Amino acid sequence: MIKTKKEGFLIVVSGPTSVGKDTICNEVVKDNLDMWISISMTTRSIREHECEGINYYYVSEDEFKEKIKNDEFLEYAVVHSTDYYGTPKKQIYDKLNAGMDVILVIDIQGALKIKKVYDNALFIFILPPSIKELTKRLIARNGGETHEQIMNRFKSLYKEINYIPDYNYVIVNDDLETAVNKMKSIIVAEKCRVDRIDELVLDTKEEELHEMFMDEKKD
Ligand code: 5GP
């Protein structure tokens, strides 16, 4: 009876480093063939346990700037005042046109740019249970970053919190399973929104009922 839009939709996820955005998103797309997490391009160096083409595409600053010139990014930003990060445009359009929902795990500057071009995207912000917990996770996760780099990430966090009202939903990641369930529920609810539905199609039998009902209303 209901036809949903054939094109997938964009889900933009932001939140401080080490808050668990990637873990939550990976769990959400697990076993879901209709959902895909975008792979960004960055000029930052590869960390231990990361892989080219899985976590990011790692390029030099010159290569990145060349791609900016060629309009290859849906959005890009300098994050934590140091490195370029960007969402390659083509892969996103290919997946959306194939009917897949695409998750972008990007910073606030990028999210605000997406908001301008895709006003029907869904914006989710992930928060840590507390700053103390985030500090613990950030230090434990440290992939060879300097003290200055870690401090930059904290500075970003305080700036980022001011932008939460630009997002549609906030999820506090105090328990992974709960956070994953919340994100899945948000996505399901979004898909049921009237403005995401293409049209209502009545089959013949339903049309008859509809006419009967309309006749009754006339009487
Ligand atoms: P990390 O270096 O810890 O992997 O990521 C640092 C920050 O860059 C995170 O907040 C992450 O969401 C953001 N980021 C990753 N990819 C992109 C992207 O393509 N565009 C933007 N604007 N931010 C990104």
Side-chain angles (χ1 to χ4, degrees):
M1 180 171 169
I2 285 172
K3 262 198 195 165
T4 46
K5 287 199 166 88
K6 275 193 217 86
E7 198 187 80
F9 77 104
L10 276 183
I11 301 155
V12 177
V13 178
S14 304
T17 308
S18 294
V19 75
K21 297 171 297 229
D22 294 316
T23 315
I24 295 174
C25 293
N26 285 332
E27 283 299 310
V28 168
V29 301
K30 204 166 79 183
D31 306 323
N32 188 338
L33 297 176
D34 293 328
M35 215 173 259
W36 182 76
I37 304 177
S38 156
I39 303 163
S40 295
M41 198 164 275
T42 183
T43 59
R44 88 145 157 75
S45 14
I46 189 164
R47 288 187 194 127
E48 230 188 310
H49 308 304
E50 286 186 341
C51 292
E52 161 76 23
I54 293 182
N55 301 93
Y56 287 102
Y57 297 109
Y58 303 87
V59 294
S60 68
E61 201 169 310
D62 285 345
E63 281 174 282
F64 199 99
K65 286 182 174 162
E66 188 60 28
K67 288 178 191 296
I68 297 175
K69 241 197 262 164
N70 296 335
D71 192 27
E72 288 181 40
F73 294 111
L74 190 60
E75 63 72 36
Y76 69 90
V78 176
V79 182
H80 306 312
S81 324
T82 46
D83 296 298
Y84 283 90
Y85 291 79
T87 306
K89 206 184 255 183
K90 188 179 176 303
Q91 58 175 20
I92 305 297
Y93 289 147
D94 287 349
K95 301 287 179 188
L96 290 177
N97 290 335
M100 292 180 83
D101 299 326
V102 175
I103 302 184
L104 306 182
V105 186
I106 59 177
D107 85 321
I108 288 178
Q109 306 170 74
L112 295 177
K113 287 179 193 164
I114 296 288
K115 214 172 174 181
K116 282 195 188 136
V117 282
Y118 260 97
D119 59 352
N120 68 346
L122 167 64
F123 295 86
I124 302 175
F125 198 92
I126 314 280
L127 273 179
S130 67
I131 299 291
K132 202 169 155 200
E133 179 57 33
L134 184 74
T135 314
K136 252 176 41 193
R137 291 185 202 173
L138 195 54
I139 290 166
R141 197 282 319 250
N142 185 3
E145 288 154 309
T146 61
H147 177 73
E148 195 190 343
Q149 281 169 322
I150 293 182
M151 289 328 285
N152 270 339
R153 287 173 193 268
F154 276 111
K155 274 191 224 151
S156 300
L157 164 67
Y158 285 104
K159 267 193 243 154
E160 282 170 1
I161 283 174
N162 293 322
Y163 288 92
I164 293 177
D166 286 296
Y167 286 71
N168 305 113
Y169 296 92
V170 170
I171 297 174
V172 176
N173 185 19
D174 42 8
D175 171 68
L176 179 63
E177 199 183 333
T178 312
V180 170
N181 284 336
K182 282 184 182 170
M183 186 156 158
K184 283 183 180 172
S185 308
I186 290 168
I187 294 169
V188 170
E190 277 292 313
K191 281 178 176 283
C192 298
R193 266 175 47 177
V194 173
D195 55 0
R196 290 200 194 279
I197 292 167
D198 235 5
E199 53 184 305
L200 291 173
V201 186
L202 298 177
D203 68 25
T204 329
K205 215 165 166 201
E206 282 167 340
E207 265 172 43
E208 279 167 23
L209 283 170
H210 178 75
E211 271 163 29
M212 258 170 60
F213 176 70
M214 291 311 281
D215 286 347
E216 263 174 37
K217 263 181 99 180
K218 273 182 230 153
D219 298 340

